[in-house]
Amino acid sequence: MESLPEDSGEEASFSASHIPVMLVPAVDALMVSAGEWYVDGTFGHGGHSGEILARGGNVLAFDVDPAAVARGTAGYQKEYPGRFLIVAENHRNVAEVTARLNIRPRGILIDSGWASSQMADEALGMSFLSEAPLDMRMDPTLESCALDLLETLEQEELLQIFSDLGEEPLAWVIARNLVEARSRGHLPRTGKDLAAFISGVYYRKGFRRSRKHPATRVFMALRIAVNREIESLSLGITEGRKVLPVSGRIVVISFHSREDRVVKHLFKDWSRSGLGETLFHRGLVPDPSEIRENPRARSARMRAFSIA
Ligand SMILES: C[S@@+](CC[C@H](N)C(=O)[O-])C[C@H]1O[C@@H](n2cnc3c(N)ncnc32)[C@H](O)[C@@H]1O
């Protein structure tokens, strides 16, 4: 009998309430000055935006999810007239949006990934129990959902997604089994079906015990692929750097080693090119007490860069 390897901290079931991760260290790193503008590239439930506003900063918030934009519009935008604005945009468009709105931010914060409410949203098909078609798009305007990827990608492409983005040890077997099931017209189409399908692959391979659901890594990989998370994060901070003044700050919280590597390498390249300075060389991780209170925080790592 074999056990599964440890995985990345994604949960099998999700609560709809979202607790902001590394709230104080992240907003401290932004060095908020009263009356200046800051970009919150991932508004979500507004935990980080709220802290910036409480410290006297103004916030231009981005979110691709209409539900998050509606929360920001009905909430802070009414509560803080002239000090808070939210746009339904991908933060990769930060340069264009700030130019259009004539806002010159002094800092940018990106708290990457998904809000707990999105995980809990049955219609998005992100949970192992969802009986809705596998969608997984945070941004409903994206062309392809998770089911489209499963229906159209070649075995090699699925393998690459599961291994690169999910670090899934059975990536090859799962990709092959999915393509076989597809050819017989038996492709799993809901979160529940896909979770059961992957459990079946693990069971047949002799894995019986696991601290985490065996489908955790494949679900995470599909969500990252569907939402083009790595590309957006890289573009968001690259474009963001261009709009910040000297001593402006970029702060990024990531939950996945691939994302963290992208941020670390971009910051390193910029430091070498004299564009500024990386602030926490190894990155910061949450305190044990935060992880106890909010298990979702356990895979978080925060990095920050100061513009020269
Ligand atoms: C982890 S949550 C942010 C939580 C937030 N900091 C809080 O305290 O409530 C991530 C949010 O960012 C949004 N998002 C993810 N990628 C995005 C992107 N590239 N551009 C804009 N919004 C994005 C998601 O829709 C989600 O609402």
Side-chain angles (χ1 to χ4, degrees):
M1 181 150 60
E2 286 189 70
S3 353
L4 296 176
E6 274 298 308
D7 67 322
S8 73
E10 298 272 307
E11 298 292 338
S13 61
F14 306 96
S15 135
S17 63
H18 185 90
I19 307 172
V21 172
M22 302 188 81
L23 179 66
V24 171
V27 179
D28 282 352
L30 274 181
M31 302 266 285
V32 174
S33 289
E36 299 287 353
W37 282 89
Y38 297 85
V39 167
D40 179 349
T42 46
F43 178 74
H45 288 253
H48 293 90
S49 281
E51 182 65 20
I52 299 169
L53 289 163
R55 296 187 190 193
N58 303 329
V59 176
L60 170 61
F62 288 63
D63 209 295
V64 288
D65 179 351
V69 175
R71 277 192 294 273
T73 309
Y76 294 145
Q77 205 154 291
K78 290 224 161 72
E79 211 177 313
Y80 295 95
R83 289 189 51 207
F84 177 88
L85 263 181
I86 187 159
V87 290
E89 289 269 3
N90 193 304
H91 56 61
R92 62 167 73 195
N93 302 325
V94 60
E96 183 224 307
V97 174
T98 50
R100 178 168 21 103
L101 297 173
N102 200 19
I103 286 177
R104 299 179 140 262
R106 290 201 59 84
I108 293 178
L109 172 80
I110 294 181
D111 171 21
S112 84
W114 307 273
S116 306
S117 55
Q118 292 167 323
M119 293 293 184
D121 183 349
E122 163 75 17
L124 287 182
M126 290 199 189
S127 97
F128 304 145
L129 301 175
S130 169
E131 298 197 42
L134 282 160
D135 186 322
M136 299 193 174
R137 286 172 299 179
M138 293 184 283
D139 175 354
T141 67
L142 284 174
E143 246 171 53
S144 306
C145 68
L147 189 53
D148 294 327
L149 299 190
L150 293 183
E151 275 175 341
T152 57
L153 294 185
E154 302 289 340
Q155 183 175 322
E156 278 303 308
E157 294 171 301
L158 290 173
L159 164 63
Q160 198 175 0
I161 289 176
F162 300 155
S163 54
D164 283 8
L165 302 180
E167 292 166 358
E168 166 57 59
L170 296 189
W172 187 82
V173 190
I174 294 169
R176 192 196 57 196
N177 276 256
L178 278 170
V179 170
E180 269 172 21
R182 182 169 77 192
S183 68
R184 287 184 277 109
H186 292 145
L187 189 68
R189 308 185 74 80
T190 66
K192 194 172 175 183
D193 289 350
L194 181 62
F197 186 92
I198 294 166
S199 297
V201 173
Y202 265 88
Y203 193 84
R204 287 193 297 281
K205 281 277 161 194
F207 290 93
R208 297 288 187 271
R209 275 185 302 125
S210 144
R211 270 163 40 100
K212 288 280 174 324
H213 194 294
T216 303
R217 286 171 293 270
V218 166
F219 271 60
M220 179 178 69
L222 276 175
R223 291 191 300 257
I224 293 175
V226 164
N227 292 290
R228 302 193 207 127
E229 276 290 291
I230 308 274
E231 183 189 312
S232 287
L233 177 62
S234 167
L235 282 170
I237 60 180
T238 307
E239 290 302 297
R241 185 188 61 73
K242 297 179 188 161
V243 302
L244 292 179
V246 171
S247 75
R249 297 278 176 96
I250 302 178
V251 179
V252 182
I253 305 166
S254 54
F255 293 83
H256 186 269
S257 56
R258 266 295 300 276
E259 289 175 344
D260 182 56
R261 241 177 287 148
V262 166
V263 179
K264 182 169 100 179
H265 287 127
L266 275 174
F267 286 1
K268 207 184 245 178
D269 289 350
W270 296 349
S271 298
R272 282 205 197 106
S273 315
L275 295 169
E277 170 189 17
T278 298
L279 295 176
F280 311 104
H281 281 276
R282 287 167 194 271
L284 283 189
V285 294
D287 281 341
S289 59
E290 177 171 358
I291 296 172
R292 267 197 305 279
E293 277 163 33
N294 180 15
R296 183 179 171 273
R298 71 180 177 274
S299 45
R301 185 173 291 269
M302 183 187 111
R303 295 188 184 271
F305 190 84
S306 175
I307 310 290

